[in-house]
Amino acid sequence: MEEIYKIIAATVGIFGIGKIIILIFSERRKKLYDEYKFAKEFLNDISSKVKMHSFAIEKGYKALAGSSRISADEVAYILTLKNPVDFLQDYVYSRIFLNHISRDSSNKVTFKKKYESEKTRKLFKIWYMAVYAITAYIAISPAVFAQALKLNQQEVLLYLLFSFPIFGFYAVYFINLLLKLKTAEDFVRNQKTSIETIIVPTEDENS
């Protein structure tokens, strides 16, 4: 009888987890549809002959990027690239390493001055990887050295409560910097414009 209860409980648990997974995918699908709908309407609006206020255009581009830190000029340029969805996500993610040259010059994305040199970027990547490895190792060190230090289970958990949150945070932070720098390199190397038109607020519209 006890085993039957366990089976029922396990079944209910499985259905509960399954329902949560379905809800997550449903929400994700709805979000993607909403983003598609907004993008379609906004791009149709700016491509039409109806004059839009620069405020609406700026807000629309920021909404497409999903970030208030990205300017309309930056988003408009990225929309001219092949595979703009991927490039826009990558640009938002790795922007701390990148600099957008305005359309008055070469109109492209380059590295910020600090990261222009390939040798410098390589040194940064080595530094990020080294700090990540050290901090990640320190984060789990109580468990690694438990036997050598003759720590009991409670002592290991106590030390982990200190080391894991602090050094684990820095490990995640530096591996994230490494991934952002690699993403930035891919962006700069692979950016290729298509025939799309750049539409951004002009100085006349803002005046």
Side-chain angles (χ1 to χ4, degrees), residues 17 24 48 50 83 101 105 112 114 121 156 158 183 197:
I17 294 171
I24 291 172
S48 66
V50 179
N83 303 317
I101 307 296
S105 51
K112 289 182 177 178
K114 185 178 180 180
R121 293 197 304 272
V156 171
L158 183 63
T183 301
T197 303

Side-chain angles (χ1 to χ4, degrees), residues 25-126:
F25 277 101
S26 297
E27 286 297 317
R28 188 168 178 268
R29 185 176 181 182
K30 184 179 182 300
K31 184 182 177 183
L32 288 172
Y33 176 75
D34 290 341
E35 289 176 351
Y36 156 76
K37 189 176 180 182
F38 170 77
K40 182 180 179 182
E41 291 175 357
F42 175 68
L43 293 175
N44 282 338
D45 286 343
I46 62 175
S47 299
S48 66
K49 294 181 180 180
V50 179
K51 187 176 181 180
M52 291 179 65
H53 194 280
S54 59
F55 179 84
I57 296 176
E58 184 83 23
K59 284 290 186 181
Y61 277 123
K62 289 180 184 294
L64 284 179
S67 173
S68 60
R69 297 180 179 181
I70 309 298
S71 71
D73 195 53
E74 290 171 302
V75 180
Y77 165 68
I78 293 169
L79 291 180
T80 69
L81 302 178
K82 296 178 180 178
N83 303 317
V85 174
D86 293 335
F87 273 109
L88 186 55
Q89 291 175 347
D90 289 347
Y91 184 75
V92 172
Y93 178 65
S94 61
R95 188 171 178 264
I96 60 171
F97 296 104
L98 298 172
N99 182 41
H100 177 236
I101 307 296
S102 69
R103 53 187 170 146
D104 295 329
S105 51
S106 57
N107 191 42
K108 63 180 181 179
V109 171
T110 60
F111 288 105
K112 289 182 177 178
K113 193 171 184 179
K114 185 178 180 180
Y115 308 101
E116 284 179 351
S117 169
E118 187 176 351
K119 289 182 180 180
T120 301
R121 293 197 304 272
K122 186 174 288 187
L123 288 174
F124 270 106
K125 285 189 284 186
I126 292 172

